């Protein structure tokens, strides 16, 4: 999968250093994946939440942070839409962000 934009992850871990290692690990796995369906994502990330509008929520660092991506399965692209704490996550509409 091509991930757009890694810079969003980097900027987040620069202000939240405890998230750097888990985000780098997620990036390494996701960038090598060839997910064609939500079920394939769930095979690798059992705790991922599949949402409407091709959104997927990943729990990062033992569920300390939430990462939302929009998935284009045909073009094999993950668009990073949100990364933040649970408190910040609770304030957004995860299906439209």
């Amino acid at each position: 999968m091509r991930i757009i934009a890694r810079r969003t992850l980097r900027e987040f871990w620069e202000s939240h250093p405890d998230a750097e290692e888990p985000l780098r690990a997620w990036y390494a796995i996701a960038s090598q994946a060839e997910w064609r369906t939500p079920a394939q994502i769930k095979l690798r990330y059992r705790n991922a939440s599949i949402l409407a509008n091709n959104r997927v929520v990943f729990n990062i660092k033992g569920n300390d942070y939430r990462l939302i991506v929009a998935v284009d399965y045909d073009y094999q692209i993950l668009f990073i839409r949100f990364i933040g704490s649970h408190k910040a996550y609770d304030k957004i509409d995860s299906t439209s962000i």
Side-chain angles (χ1 to χ4, degrees):
M1 304 292 287
R2 192 165 51 134
I3 300 171
I4 301 182
R6 183 173 189 244
R7 177 177 53 159
T8 305
L9 299 178
R10 184 174 27 87
E11 288 172 354
F12 186 80
W13 76 53
E14 285 174 353
S15 61
H16 300 85
D18 61 329
E20 182 175 1
E21 186 177 329
L23 286 171
R24 284 184 183 271
W26 176 87
Y27 183 89
I29 292 166
S31 63
Q32 296 300 311
E34 293 183 15
W35 293 319
R36 298 282 177 195
T37 67
Q40 289 178 327
I41 294 174
K42 290 290 280 184
L43 284 174
R44 178 61 183 95
Y45 289 98
R46 294 175 61 194
N47 292 326
S49 298
I50 308 301
L51 307 177
N53 297 325
N54 288 325
R55 301 295 198 267
V56 180
V57 180
F58 295 93
N59 297 319
I60 302 296
K61 193 185 170 273
N63 210 17
D64 285 351
Y65 302 108
R66 296 275 176 99
L67 170 65
I68 301 174
V69 299
V71 184
D72 186 322
Y73 295 99
D74 293 333
Y75 290 100
Q76 292 287 284
I77 301 173
L78 297 174
F79 298 93
I80 296 178
R81 306 301 297 156
F82 172 85
I83 177 76
S85 67
H86 278 270
K87 186 176 181 179
Y89 175 83
D90 290 341
K91 294 179 182 178
I92 63 165
D93 178 0
S94 55
T95 61
S96 66
I97 192 164

